[in-house]
Amino acid sequence: MIIKGKSRAGPSQLAHHLGRADTNERVEILQLDSAGTPEQAFRDWQTYTLATKGKLGLYHANIDPDTKYEMTPEQWTRAVEILEEELGLQGQPRAVVMHEKNGREHIHVVWARTDMDTMTLRSDSQNYQAHERASLRMEQEFGHEHVPGKHAKRDKEAQPEFPTAEVSHDEWQQAERSGIDHRERKAQVTALYEASDSGPAFKAALEDAGYVLARGDRRDFVILDDDAKVHSLGRQLPGVKAADLRAFMVDIDPESLPSVKEARAAIREAGRVAPSPEADQSGQPDISAEQAIQESKPADRDTPMSQEAAAEAERQHIDALRRAVMELHATELREQELRHAREVTELQESQQAAADKAIETFAKEQAQRIVADRVPEPGGFERIWRNIREAVDEEARQQRLADEARRAADLEDRRNDEIRIMVSGLDAAQRAEINTLVDRQGKERADLLKEQANDLKRRIEDDERARQIAREYEERQREALAREREGPERDPRAR
């Protein structure tokens, strides 16, 4: 039983990933502890973190059993409960989504991390050990074969016999990888992609499965297998559009990856494939790991030119990362603007319908009042007498007509006043509703812009940390090579 997960933000991207019907044969929402869509729920759960001092308001995990075991609905529910207990997320709102791809079922679980009672985030420390404890409990309870792991499931006595498994994907049967065909490889890489929630996670999963992610000459990303053969990453993911893959891999800078030549050298240096005199895709002979490191080593930074070149490369890299992130942010803003426009249109339509109904009701009431207020015509004798009297007294007839005209004018003025009051009330109510909606939308936009600014800052800081680690690793490699060339007699540890 393989379990993988971590805390994260990005509710829109996560909802899009979980709802993708184009890359899954079946997508089924088994549970959603919130009204509305998964995206709305995830956005709400992420918004809760504003009251805390955290940023990662969601915990996303996937539970992936071996294909030889068929899980019942009760077992899936029990699996979620076990993982929830081990992670300490009991009582938190959650969503459970089933994915089926090539006959293989796995589930994704998303929890809200914000504890509404304490307004703090539930801890996610030691989560890998929690995954393995939950996996072990599931294997024991469901009668599945035990898969050793690096942490809680590690069996030191059995380690030589049972190699440690990466909990992410059960090593994808590494003993058989050398004979994998293109269909199996595509299914394997696609499964790794579907089980990952970010570019770095996908890169780590590929490495766990024995692949090396590299920078291609004509493509953004390629992968190399154990035999150092090159495969286009995009072609290994049927149904995934190039734009979607670029957006998914936005956290991975192609310039930070090894070239095909460097990746092949590293694979051969690790002994995973025997060296050969064959040329690589560029037509140049393969080089050793030492040569690859020397070629990738930056120019001497003590010279003004090298410092200027390094600064320019740094600036270009940051600009590229900034553009990629801002492109994602622009998409989020466009989606929000479209949603806001739909909300305004829907509100205006509902207001118009309500106004039409109010006017119709008012018109009926007016008609009823006109009938009620109308002075009844005199009876036959009274009418004859009035006509005789007015025939001999013109002043009496003029007085009667004046009285009737005055009463009619009074009624008309009263009706007009009632109409103005009603229309004024409708306009005021509609304006209040529109103003409330616009204020809320303005706050949502401000919140999104603030979240995006923080996201951009975080991505740049994370990228800088990653490149700093890479520089330190490179420096250690150069020092090790230097010690190796100097010989043991020059090695201080040999003295």
Side-chain angles (χ1 to χ4, degrees):
M1 182 70 70
I2 306 304
I3 300 175
K4 180 179 178 181
K6 66 176 183 177
S7 298
R8 58 162 294 161
S12 297
Q13 190 276 334
L14 177 58
H16 173 71
H17 170 64
L18 297 188
R20 295 193 59 179
D22 56 334
T23 55
N24 294 282
E25 297 169 358
R26 179 166 65 94
V27 176
E28 181 181 356
I29 299 177
L30 302 182
Q31 181 180 352
L32 180 60
D33 294 341
S34 178
T37 65
E39 180 178 2
Q40 293 169 338
F42 297 166
R43 282 183 177 275
D44 290 343
W45 297 350
Q46 176 62 27
T47 303
Y48 296 159
T49 60
L50 296 175
T52 71
K53 294 186 178 180
K55 296 181 180 178
L56 308 180
L58 307 174
Y59 194 93
H60 171 218
N62 66 286
I63 304 175
D64 193 359
D66 195 296
T67 53
K68 62 185 177 183
Y69 299 110
E70 184 174 351
M71 297 277 286
T72 65
E74 293 76 15
Q75 287 177 326
W76 283 120
T77 301
R78 180 58 183 154
V80 173
E81 293 173 350
I82 291 174
L83 180 57
E84 185 173 85
E85 292 172 5
E86 294 296 338
L87 290 171
L89 293 171
Q90 301 96 318
Q92 293 299 104
R94 71 189 183 199
V96 183
V97 180
M98 169 76 73
H99 280 181
E100 181 177 353
K101 179 73 172 180
N102 296 325
R104 183 187 184 95
E105 289 185 338
H106 66 274
I107 60 172
H108 294 260
V109 191
V110 182
W111 285 274
R113 290 185 61 208
T114 304
D115 189 322
M116 301 304 290
D117 293 332
T118 62
M119 291 313 297
T120 58
L121 295 180
R122 292 285 181 95
S123 173
D124 60 354
S125 63
Q126 306 295 322
N127 61 325
Y128 295 140
Q129 289 89 330
H131 293 167
E132 291 195 7
R133 290 195 302 271
S135 176
L136 180 60
R137 288 178 58 185
M138 294 178 199
E139 291 165 352
Q140 294 173 341
E141 187 168 325
F142 303 154
H144 291 190
E145 181 180 356
H146 175 66
V147 179
K150 283 187 173 182
H151 303 288
K153 295 168 64 179
R154 183 178 183 183
D155 185 349
K156 293 183 179 180
E157 296 181 358
Q159 283 308 96
E161 182 178 357
F162 300 102
T164 300
E166 289 294 338
V167 180
S168 58
H169 281 281
D170 194 20
E171 292 287 320
W172 281 98
Q173 302 175 340
Q174 291 189 18
E176 300 181 5
R177 281 208 311 261
S178 59
I180 191 171
D181 63 23
H182 68 283
R183 288 168 297 187
E184 293 173 338
R185 183 177 59 252
K186 287 183 178 180
Q188 179 186 20
V189 174
T190 299
L192 294 173
Y193 171 79
E194 290 297 327
S196 303
D197 57 7
S198 65
F202 186 31
K203 178 177 180 291
L206 287 170
E207 291 172 353
D208 290 344
Y211 295 100
V212 176
L213 184 66
R215 179 182 71 252
D217 293 336
R218 296 178 299 276
R219 308 178 184 92
D220 290 340
F221 301 102
V222 296
I223 57 174
L224 284 78
D225 58 22
D226 273 356
D227 294 327
K229 292 181 180 179
V230 182
H231 310 279
S232 166
L233 180 59
R235 293 185 179 180
Q236 307 309 305
L237 301 170
V240 178
K241 298 180 180 178
D244 292 339
L245 181 59
R246 283 195 297 271
F248 184 78
M249 301 291 285
V250 67
D251 290 330
I252 302 294
D253 179 16
E255 295 302 321
S256 68
L257 299 175
S259 66
V260 172
K261 184 186 298 185
E262 294 165 350
R264 279 180 168 165
I267 292 173
R268 288 166 182 159
E269 182 73 11
R272 289 161 62 183
V273 61
S276 69
E278 297 178 358
D280 63 13
Q281 288 184 336
S282 63
Q284 300 297 325
D286 290 323
I287 59 176
S288 66
E290 181 176 349
Q291 289 173 319
I293 293 174
Q294 292 296 326
E295 289 186 8
S296 63
K297 183 166 60 177
D300 186 0
R301 301 195 177 229
D302 292 335
T303 65
M305 183 60 69
S306 65
Q307 291 178 357
E308 183 179 349
E312 177 63 19
E314 177 84 3
R315 185 188 65 78
Q316 293 179 356
H317 170 76
I318 294 297
D319 287 346
L321 176 61
R322 189 185 301 275
R323 286 194 300 272
V325 174
M326 292 184 70
E327 182 179 349
L328 283 179
H329 291 173
T331 301
E332 289 183 347
L333 281 173
R334 286 194 297 270
E335 292 176 353
Q336 187 186 70
E337 289 171 356
L338 291 174
R339 179 168 58 84
H340 286 174
R342 287 195 301 269
E343 289 177 349
V344 172
T345 301
E346 291 171 357
L347 177 59
Q348 290 175 337
E349 290 176 351
S350 66
Q351 286 180 339
Q352 185 61 47
D356 292 342
K357 184 175 181 180
I359 291 173
E360 180 182 356
T361 302
F362 177 77
K364 291 180 179 179
E365 293 175 351
Q366 284 276 20
Q368 292 172 355
R369 280 198 297 271
I370 290 173
V371 173
D373 293 341
R374 184 179 300 165
V375 178
E377 288 290 331
F381 178 78
E382 291 180 358
R383 187 168 57 253
I384 293 173
W385 174 248
R386 186 192 67 184
N387 292 340
I388 293 172
R389 185 181 59 185
E390 290 180 353
V392 299
D393 188 352
E394 179 63 22
E395 185 177 350
R397 189 175 74 85
Q398 293 297 332
Q399 183 64 39
R400 179 181 64 80
L401 294 176
D403 292 341
E404 291 178 353
R406 186 177 62 256
R407 284 196 300 269
D410 291 342
L411 288 174
E412 184 66 22
D413 290 342
R414 191 175 66 182
R415 285 196 296 270
N416 291 336
D417 290 342
E418 291 175 347
I419 291 173
R420 281 194 295 271
I421 293 172
M422 183 199 68
V423 172
S424 177
L426 287 175
D427 289 343
Q430 291 177 350
R431 283 195 301 272
E433 289 180 342
I434 291 292
N435 290 337
T436 300
L437 177 61
V438 170
D439 290 343
R440 178 176 64 80
Q441 291 179 344
K443 185 177 183 303
E444 289 181 358
R445 180 178 177 82
D447 291 343
L448 179 59
L449 290 173
K450 181 179 179 181
E451 180 182 348
Q452 289 180 345
N454 293 335
D455 179 59
L456 177 60
K457 180 181 177 182
R458 176 183 58 80
R459 288 174 186 263
I460 292 176
E461 291 174 349
D462 290 348
D463 179 76
E464 173 56 31
R465 283 194 293 271
R467 285 185 287 111
Q468 179 62 31
I469 292 172
R471 287 193 292 267
E472 293 173 357
Y473 173 77
E474 214 174 82
E475 182 63 27
R476 289 197 299 270
Q477 289 292 96
R478 285 196 293 269
E479 292 175 356
L481 288 172
R483 288 194 298 269
E484 184 178 340
R485 285 197 298 269
E486 291 173 358
E489 69 281 356
R490 301 285 301 275
D491 191 338
R493 293 174 298 180
R495 295 177 184 176

